[in-house]
Amino acid sequence: CYWMYMLFFLIFCAITAVSLMGVFDVTGAPAWFRYSTSAWQGLIAISYIVVACRHRGAWNADKSPREMLADAWLTLGFWYLSCVLVMEFAALPRLAFDSTWKSSVEFVVLQMLSFEFAVLGALARWPEFRMRMQARLASRGEGISAAAGISALIGQASVESLLEVWEKRFCGVDMDKVTREAMASNMPDPSLRALSRSVDFGAVDAFLSHSWHDDAAAKWEAVQRWRSDFVAQFGREPVAWIDKYCIDQEAIEDSLMCLPLFFGGCQKLVIFYGPTYPSRLWCVVELFVALQMGKGIHDIELHELPGGRPCDEFDAVHAQCFDPKDREKMMTLIEAGCGRIEVFNDRVREVLKQCQDAKALRNRQQQRGSGLSFLRRVTFEEFN
């Protein structure tokens, strides 16, 4: 915003100087028209430098990301509307002393541009339009590129540097090495990382998303049920990304910045949805990354824990974390990606509901299949 305003300031200073030299004079117009037009252009140039200094001061004052995003839209709207003023004041002198110019193509094009810029300037100040446009822009990324972009916004680092960190630290742990004791506490244990192993992109079967504040016993039972189902289906132990096992405790900040990238390298998001899950900010961010990367019911597996709130009551507004600045940053990120928190909530509820329905359907199919298998076995024995 600052450098954009400075550029406009220099441009209008040049236009004012050229206007004072009489380059834009209209035949038959008195001298005061020249000076009045130059004065308006000079005032616009001064307004640019004033607003530029204001933005510079706001940046030095460490404004929140949400306020900076609003300032960016203010800059865009101000630029469009100032262009309208310049074009109209440039047309007035010529229109006053050249009546035939009104029917020219040049005049019609100038008015069409003024109208278009006025509409765009008004839209830039309309909150609903800003939210929809932000969501549209954010939805253009996909796959690992989208995850890298989200990581860059979280950590305020370049995408290239984050990809280098991701390649060094991306790993998974075989579920037969995960212990009940380790999953019962959120206290860090650097020795657990030695149990994980480096893997290629897409080689991790599941990203386990859970809240450390939920009941440890109930969560462990749900994890073991998921593991048993996986072994029964694929005949091997699943490889999972679990924060306590896969985050490098000696470089926690770098690992947290790469969290969306770690998620992008996993086949599925497996959610253990307990009472505190919606209130933990990082759990909400994991859901946000899943939606931004286009994950659907085939990529998300939901396991509800006892005592959890209904999924249709999910509300990210109540999500909290230890650092209020992190919360402000993450909520701004979600608003920029989805437009509004309410839109994000609706999307999460819809996906979770679809996951519930898909799981209920699978359970019915398994029960029906086991019953038919039993009937076939009994009939075969009776036949013998």
Side-chain angles (χ1 to χ4, degrees):
C1 290
Y2 172 75
W3 290 111
M4 187 176 177
Y5 275 128
M6 290 299 294
L7 176 63
F8 293 154
F9 167 71
L10 294 175
I11 290 174
F12 276 99
C13 283
I15 292 175
T16 304
V18 172
S19 180
L20 285 172
M21 293 168 61
V23 175
F24 301 132
D25 281 0
V26 179
T27 304
W32 64 269
F33 266 106
R34 175 199 302 179
Y35 297 120
S36 64
T37 303
S38 301
W40 277 109
Q41 294 166 346
L43 286 174
I44 293 175
I46 293 173
S47 68
Y48 274 127
I49 194 67
V50 170
V51 179
C53 293
R54 171 186 171 274
H55 276 275
R56 190 68 174 179
W59 179 267
N60 292 332
D62 194 23
K63 265 193 164 185
S64 70
R66 191 176 301 177
E67 292 171 322
M68 289 183 181
L69 188 62
D71 278 347
W73 281 105
L74 177 64
T75 302
L76 191 63
F78 186 81
W79 179 76
Y80 277 126
L81 295 176
S82 63
C83 286
V84 173
L85 289 176
V86 171
M87 287 187 288
E88 292 302 316
F89 278 108
L92 283 176
R94 187 168 181 176
L95 191 62
F97 295 95
D98 187 359
S99 58
T100 61
W101 185 61
K102 190 173 183 180
S103 58
S104 67
V105 176
E106 183 182 354
F107 176 79
V108 174
V109 171
L110 187 65
Q111 295 307 305
M112 289 176 62
L113 283 175
S114 296
F115 177 75
E116 180 184 356
F117 279 21
V119 171
L120 291 174
L123 287 175
R125 299 298 302 145
W126 185 25
E128 186 69 21
F129 173 80
R130 296 202 305 264
M131 292 173 182
R132 291 182 180 275
M133 185 57 65
Q134 287 163 193
R136 176 65 178 170
L137 292 172
S139 66
R140 295 183 65 86
E142 58 183 2
I144 200 67
S145 299
I150 296 169
S151 293
L153 289 173
I154 292 175
Q156 294 182 345
S158 68
V159 172
E160 292 76 12
S161 63
L162 286 168
L163 286 172
E164 291 179 4
V165 174
W166 167 72
E167 289 179 354
K168 294 177 181 177
R169 294 194 167 91
F170 185 52
C171 60
V173 59
D174 297 294
M175 285 301 297
D176 57 352
K177 297 179 180 178
V178 178
T179 64
R180 185 188 189 108
E181 292 73 20
M183 295 295 291
S185 171
N186 64 347
M187 294 299 294
D189 186 355
S191 64
L192 294 178
R193 183 169 168 79
L195 300 176
S196 64
R197 56 185 174 89
S198 297
V199 291
D200 296 328
F201 176 77
V204 176
D205 298 303
F207 184 105
L208 299 196
S209 178
H210 65 99
S211 169
W212 286 107
H213 297 267
D214 284 333
D215 182 67
K219 184 168 58 177
W220 176 254
E221 291 178 3
V223 169
Q224 291 306 303
R225 283 195 300 270
W226 166 76
R227 174 193 170 195
S228 299
D229 292 342
F230 188 95
V231 172
Q233 183 177 359
F234 297 100
R236 63 175 177 84
E237 286 288 338
V239 179
W241 193 95
I242 303 176
D243 47 6
K244 194 169 184 178
Y245 284 83
C246 299
I247 286 182
D248 187 354
Q249 300 295 329
E250 297 179 357
I252 294 179
E253 187 173 348
D254 289 343
S255 296
L256 289 178
M257 281 194 301
C258 290
L259 189 63
L261 278 166
F262 294 151
F263 171 76
C266 301
Q267 295 287 340
K268 273 193 173 186
L269 173 66
V270 180
I271 301 173
F272 296 95
Y273 194 94
T276 67
Y277 186 92
S279 65
R280 307 311 305 167
L281 182 63
W282 282 105
C283 296
V284 172
V285 170
E286 289 163 7
L287 288 173
F288 169 71
V289 175
L291 295 178
Q292 289 299 104
M293 295 179 67
K295 300 291 186 181
I297 59 173
H298 300 294
D299 309 301
I300 301 175
E301 193 171 326
L302 178 66
H303 298 270
E304 296 179 84
L305 304 182
R309 295 174 62 88
C311 294
D312 57 4
E313 295 181 8
F314 176 88
D315 192 349
V317 174
H318 303 302
Q320 300 293 331
C321 66
F322 292 106
D323 191 343
K325 290 184 178 180
D326 283 346
R327 184 183 187 280
E328 178 72 17
K329 186 188 300 182
M330 299 305 172
M331 298 306 282
T332 302
L333 187 65
I334 292 173
E335 286 185 354
C338 296
R340 290 177 298 174
I341 295 296
E342 292 78 11
V343 175
F344 172 68
N345 288 336
D346 291 340
R347 291 177 64 187
V348 170
R349 291 167 189 161
E350 180 182 359
V351 170
L352 293 179
K353 181 64 168 60
Q354 291 174 348
C355 291
Q356 284 178 323
D357 295 340
K359 184 178 180 181
L361 179 60
R362 285 196 301 269
N363 291 337
R364 287 196 298 269
Q365 290 175 342
Q366 289 174 357
Q367 292 173 0
R368 189 180 301 126
S370 62
L372 291 173
S373 175
F374 172 75
L375 289 176
R376 290 192 188 96
R377 178 173 58 81
V378 172
T379 303
F380 183 72
E381 291 176 348
E382 292 176 350
F383 177 79
N384 284 338

